[in-house]
Amino acid sequence: MTGGGLGAECASSCCVEGGRCALIALATGCSTGVAGQPSASSGSSGSTASSGSEKPRLSPPLEQPVLDLKPFETKPCELLKPEQVASLTRAEPPESKDGILGPECAWPAVDPVRDTRISLTLNVKTGEGLEGTYRRRSNFGQFKEFRVAGYPGVHANESEKAEGMGNCGSRIGVSDSTALLIIVQARKGNPDYSTSCRLNEKIAEMMIQNLKAAK
């Protein structure tokens, strides 16, 4: 999956810029300097459990049925239907790849200025769900909790102003060990520029609907 005109490939597990790298950094705590990503790594994320000698849980408990990501692990781009993408932005054909955190998909913008780029990752490889993001909370300038269709999520961005500057990285817990990672990128003049995180919530709701329908 390419960076859609915004960035470069990752030189290591920490990235320079671009949609795919942003998703990796959102989960790993790499320093990137791009909105939607944490500013530094805080080491081990710990466990989501709270028994015995393990660290107490920080992330909200899952109050909705667990959503299985396995049906989409080989086809992550099908997690958004073509008509759903078309309702959000004008996009080039999607590009998929098996990434560090799990299967990835990106919908590059047809016009990088007027259209919005969407990226997602099915985080199935870290086994941490939302917990790792909560344990790195101090790394983020913006850490804004939300719920979508009853599932816990967080907008975790390097800058507290990222939400209104066209770049938003969000993570939604769908089980104690897996999560959906979404990043949108919009430039000034794009209608999504000042409401980028709100668009992520809309995308997340669509994905959850599709996951439920796949059961």
Side-chain angles (χ1 to χ4, degrees):
M1 181 168 54
T2 65
L6 281 177
E9 290 295 314
C10 300
S12 65
S13 62
C14 287
C15 311
V16 180
E17 54 185 11
R20 182 169 72 87
C21 296
L23 287 166
I24 294 172
L26 178 61
T28 61
C30 295
S31 176
T32 62
V34 178
Q37 305 154 40
S39 58
S41 177
S42 61
S44 175
S45 63
S47 170
T48 59
S50 58
S51 61
S53 62
E54 295 176 345
K55 296 179 181 179
R57 178 175 183 144
L58 301 178
S59 58
L62 195 67
E63 298 176 351
Q64 297 293 319
V66 168
L67 296 177
D68 187 5
L69 299 182
K70 289 186 181 298
F72 294 94
E73 287 186 18
T74 59
K75 49 184 181 181
C77 295
E78 292 188 18
L79 199 48
L80 274 181
K81 299 176 181 179
E83 60 269 26
Q84 291 174 325
V85 176
S87 73
L88 300 167
T89 187
R90 294 188 308 158
E92 299 285 359
E95 305 164 352
S96 65
K97 181 176 181 177
D98 184 29
I100 294 174
L101 303 178
E104 305 170 357
C105 187
W107 289 264
V110 171
D111 184 328
V113 176
R114 298 180 181 179
D115 303 319
T116 304
R117 185 181 192 275
I118 300 170
S119 305
L120 73 88
T121 286
L122 280 62
N123 186 354
V124 296
K125 294 184 179 181
T126 64
E128 64 181 19
L130 278 180
E131 187 67 14
T133 306
Y134 271 76
R135 294 198 178 279
R136 292 185 289 272
R137 183 169 186 161
S138 62
N139 294 341
F140 301 96
Q142 181 197 38
F143 194 92
K144 183 177 181 181
E145 297 173 302
F146 67 95
R147 282 192 176 267
V148 56
Y151 290 85
V154 61
H155 302 306
N157 294 285
E158 182 182 59
S159 169
E160 62 181 1
K161 298 180 180 180
E163 183 173 6
M165 297 180 66
N167 295 313
C168 186
S170 308
R171 181 170 179 149
I172 302 92
V174 294
S175 79
D176 283 344
S177 61
T178 61
L180 296 172
L181 280 66
I182 305 170
I183 282 186
V184 297
Q185 297 168 320
R187 297 187 182 180
K188 193 170 184 179
N190 184 317
D192 297 325
Y193 181 79
S194 60
T195 57
S196 53
C197 288
R198 193 180 307 170
L199 179 61
N200 270 5
E201 294 181 25
K202 186 176 182 179
I203 294 169
E205 186 170 10
M206 291 178 177
M207 291 182 180
I208 289 171
Q209 290 173 351
N210 294 340
L211 283 167
K212 288 181 177 180
K215 285 188 175 182

